[in-house]
Amino acid sequence: MRALTFRKRERLVSQRLIDELFGGGNSRSLAAYPLRAVYLQKERQDHHASLQLLISVPKKRFHHAVDRNHVKRQVREAWRRHKQLLIDVLPADSQLLVALVWLSDSPLPTAAVEERIASLVKRISEKI
């Protein structure tokens, strides 16, 4: 079994890929309040990881950076624990881009965030 890590190359930072995810028209979306997952499965490119994640916690929702950072840490930790399910079902020649967007104005306990992430990961893995 692989180590449960969230490496730098697994972060979705390429503007071209982000534009493709949000503007391409081929992406799909699921919600497990207070999170919305936008994902796109595409042909894998050599230099990119097979699974990449973008986390968005808008300033409109949490005005203080410390609150936004806390929520992002919760989401990253839950993702790190549950991403293996997606890696196991993803074909070797495919790449999955995922964006998690926080929708609520209030924070949740870590256990609740982890439950929502697990639900989203399971639902995405069923649709791949």
Side-chain angles (χ1 to χ4, degrees), residues 2 8 10 17 29 31-32 53 68 74 80 82-83 87 91 93 95 105 108 114 122 124:
R2 302 177 88 194
K8 186 172 184 174
E10 295 174 353
L17 291 177
S29 176
L53 175 71
R68 289 192 301 275
Q74 287 178 314
R80 182 187 70 79
H82 296 284
K83 70 176 181 177
I87 293 171
D93 61 340
Q95 179 181 21
D105 291 335
L108 285 180
E114 188 159 343
K122 183 177 181 226
I124 292 170

Side-chain angles (χ1 to χ4, degrees), residues 53-102:
L53 175 71
L54 171 108
I55 300 171
S56 174
V57 180
K59 193 174 187 179
K60 179 180 179 181
R61 304 288 180 207
F62 294 99
H63 301 291
H64 298 106
V66 66
D67 297 329
R68 289 192 301 275
N69 292 339
H70 178 71
V71 171
K72 286 190 275 189
R73 272 195 305 275
Q74 287 178 314
V75 172
R76 267 195 311 271
E77 177 64 13
W79 177 261
R80 182 187 70 79
R81 290 178 181 223
H82 296 284
K83 70 176 181 177
Q84 190 62 41
L85 180 61
L86 289 173
I87 293 171
D88 292 342
V89 299
L90 193 63
D93 61 340
S94 290
Q95 179 181 21
L96 186 65
L97 308 175
V98 180
L100 296 174
V101 182
W102 190 267

Side-chain angles (χ1 to χ4, degrees), residues 6 17-18 25 40 43-44 56 58 80 84 94 99-100 121-123 127:
F6 184 62
L17 291 177
I18 293 170
L40 173 67
E43 186 176 319
R44 184 171 181 188
S56 174
R80 182 187 70 79
Q84 190 62 41
S94 290
L100 296 174
V121 167
K122 183 177 181 226
R123 288 166 54 197
K127 295 186 181 211

